Amino acid sequence: MSNKNKRPLIGVIVGLDREKKLITQQSNLIIESGYGKKAIQATKKLIKRKVDVVLSLGFAGSIDTNLKNSEVIIPKIIFNKRSKGSQTSKKFNFYFKKILNDFSFFE
């Protein structure tokens, strides 16, 4: 972001088209849907639109029953499709938390 007063452009990936309707439309949100391999194409679309960050919503609850609905998870490691893990930076985690602070996706 070049302008400090400008809100970050956030790309959101949801699994299903009907999930897009649940997210409050905001001028700094670009929402795409895609599940599985289609999520890769949706992410590429967002990157071409030069978003500041990409959020993937909707699947974490299925991997841990202790997670609550609407809980945000910030990963320390991101895995690619070949199961190779890459650590996220502390700078990334700080930036991500800053973007999401006081941000509401749902009405």
Side-chain angles (χ1 to χ4, degrees), residues 67-71:
L67 296 174
K68 296 180 180 90
N69 202 10
S70 301
E71 198 165 6

Side-chain angles (χ1 to χ4, degrees), residues 73-88:
I73 300 167
I74 300 173
K76 292 181 181 177
I77 300 173
I78 298 173
F79 292 90
N80 67 19
K81 64 184 178 183
R82 293 183 185 90
S83 297
K84 181 180 178 193
S86 297
Q87 287 194 327
T88 59

Side-chain angles (χ1 to χ4, degrees), residues 25 33 86-87 97:
Q25 291 294 321
S33 62
S86 297
Q87 287 194 327
K97 288 176 188 176

Side-chain angles (χ1 to χ4, degrees), residues 5 12 18 30 40 44 46 52 77 80 90 98-99:
N5 295 325
V12 180
R18 67 177 183 239
I30 302 172
I40 294 169
K44 287 179 181 180
L46 293 173
D52 294 301
I77 300 173
N80 67 19
K90 289 181 182 179
K98 185 177 176 183
I99 285 175

Side-chain angles (χ1 to χ4, degrees), residues 20-51:
K20 291 168 75 171
K21 297 174 186 172
L22 300 173
I23 299 173
T24 305
Q25 291 294 321
Q26 297 182 36
S27 61
N28 68 321
L29 282 183
I30 302 172
I31 306 165
E32 293 287 342
S33 62
Y35 183 79
K37 291 182 180 182
K38 290 181 181 180
I40 294 169
Q41 296 305 315
T43 303
K44 287 179 181 180
K45 281 185 188 177
L46 293 173
I47 291 170
K48 284 182 182 179
R49 304 242 349 236
K50 301 194 184 299
V51 296

Side-chain angles (χ1 to χ4, degrees), residues 1 7-10 28 52-55 92-105:
M1 287 184 324
R7 295 184 337 172
L9 186 57
I10 300 172
N28 68 321
D52 294 301
V53 67
V54 175
L55 303 178
F92 165 83
N93 288 340
F94 177 78
Y95 175 73
F96 195 71
K97 288 176 188 176
K98 185 177 176 183
I99 285 175
L100 293 176
N101 191 35
D102 298 327
F103 189 84
S104 177
F105 286 102

